[in-house]
Amino acid sequence: KTPLEEQLLNWHMANLEFANAACLSDLSLAHWDQDDPWEMEGDHVFMPGGNMRLVIALAEGVPIFYESAVTQVAYSSAGVVVTCSSGGESRLFAADRCLCT
């Protein structure tokens, strides 16, 4: 292997882990493409104007707090409470569900 080939292989392995949110050791080659029959193919998978249009539409009317760190996520059958900290001040957000990215 050349150093370039090794870098390329490492990049592909890291990309697989990133794309699947799992370690390579947890992925299954036997079931690798199990969702292919439902995969979107063709030109329609590209949103005219880019995916940012979707993000902007979903964020419309939603308060966004910049420079806020999530310090705790507490969830139960009753819902979720997210604690954020910004400038020494804490805020609590309660919801049915929470998507952390």
Side-chain angles (χ1 to χ4, degrees), residues 4-100:
L4 181 60
E5 289 171 329
E6 191 166 338
Q7 285 178 333
L8 184 60
L9 179 61
N10 287 338
W11 180 88
H12 280 290
M13 290 189 301
N15 192 48
L16 284 171
E17 290 181 328
F18 170 77
N20 291 281
C23 293
L24 281 177
S25 59
D26 294 330
L27 299 178
S28 168
L29 183 58
H31 301 288
W32 178 249
D33 289 330
Q34 65 184 355
D35 62 346
D36 275 359
W38 299 278
E39 188 173 319
M40 295 189 298
E41 297 177 351
D43 293 338
H44 65 276
V45 300
F46 297 104
M47 182 176 283
N51 290 339
M52 194 61 185
R53 293 180 59 200
L54 179 62
V55 173
I56 291 169
L58 290 173
E60 191 172 310
V62 175
I64 297 174
F65 299 93
Y66 294 99
E67 298 181 20
S68 295
V70 174
T71 57
Q72 183 179 18
V73 178
Y75 55 93
S76 68
S77 58
V80 62
V81 176
V82 177
T83 305
C84 296
S85 176
S86 178
E89 179 183 326
S90 288
R91 285 194 168 112
L92 298 178
F93 299 93
D96 294 329
R97 292 173 182 82
C98 172
L99 173 64
C100 295

